[in-house]
Amino acid sequence: MTIRVPRDPLTPLTSRELTALVDGLAGLPYGGEAVDQRTHALQTAWLAMDAGADDELVVAAALHDIGRARPVRAEHPGLPHELAGAAFARRRLGERAAWVIARHVPAKRYLVATDPGYHALLSPVSVASLKVQGGPMDEREAAEFAAHPLARDAVALRRWDDAAKDPDGPVLPMPALLAAHARHIAA
């Protein structure tokens, strides 16, 4: 006999919670990069919006590293940031955002394995973390990753993530992020 455990219902973030989460990233180091976590989050979201991403993907881009935020880390101690962020996103944003957030690290491994020029685009910090994350995917891993219907979203997020390390680069203003979030929740 199989017992089905009901899933927790989606409890969308409020605007106040989203603002507090993003603002709570201010001043948090981003692993030796030239930007802090807040700037990185809003720059990633700007790149997503500039590329024409839908509202859910823009919000996921802003929150892709939310597993590093103090309240999310406290709720999911010991999990890698992408898995803690995905667990948070699953309850507060939805399954698609959770999958993309969980896979933004494997997407780097995928791109290193499949795009000959990608490795050269990585910052020294990202190259160092690649080793810890398992290095390039093997052929089987890459094929499995690419076969998922959301793989393109994860790869897009990964590319925005890699490009969002410019201290002078554009960032998505909080009102624009809040508007994208409101439209996503309403949809």
Side-chain angles (χ1 to χ4, degrees):
M1 172 189 218
T2 302
I3 299 173
R4 296 188 65 123
V5 178
R7 288 181 33 161
D8 293 336
L10 182 67
T11 306
L13 283 171
T14 66
S15 294
R16 182 178 303 162
E17 289 171 326
L18 179 56
T19 300
L21 276 170
V22 172
D23 287 349
L25 297 172
L28 281 179
Y30 179 44
E33 299 288 359
V35 296
D36 68 5
Q37 291 284 340
R38 184 179 189 277
T39 300
H40 176 65
L42 293 174
Q43 199 168 94
T44 305
W46 185 89
L47 290 163
M49 188 166 278
D50 188 58
D54 62 52
D55 292 325
E56 183 177 13
L57 198 49
V58 168
V59 176
L63 297 181
H64 74 280
D65 283 339
I66 204 63
R68 291 188 171 121
R70 287 179 189 97
V72 178
R73 279 195 336 257
E75 191 175 331
H76 304 284
L79 281 182
H81 84 280
E82 69 275 15
L83 299 181
F88 173 83
R90 188 167 287 108
R91 290 187 335 275
R92 306 306 304 271
L93 298 172
E95 194 57 44
R96 177 181 174 222
W99 195 91
V100 172
I101 289 170
R103 299 324 186 279
H104 82 276
V105 169
K108 176 168 68 170
R109 298 182 59 230
Y110 170 80
L111 284 166
V112 169
T114 62
D115 180 344
Y118 178 74
H119 190 275
L121 302 174
L122 296 176
S123 70
V125 171
S126 196
V127 169
S129 67
L130 174 65
K131 292 175 186 170
V132 174
Q133 294 160 343
M137 287 183 173
D138 62 33
E139 285 185 35
R140 180 193 54 79
E141 289 174 309
E144 287 176 8
F145 180 88
H148 195 282
L150 296 177
R152 293 179 112 196
D153 290 344
V155 166
L157 173 56
R158 181 73 236 176
R159 290 186 185 278
W160 302 324
D161 180 6
D162 292 327
K165 299 174 183 180
D166 179 356
D168 299 317
V171 295
L172 190 66
M174 274 305 296
L177 178 59
L178 294 172
H181 176 257
R183 288 188 303 267
H184 164 60
I185 295 305

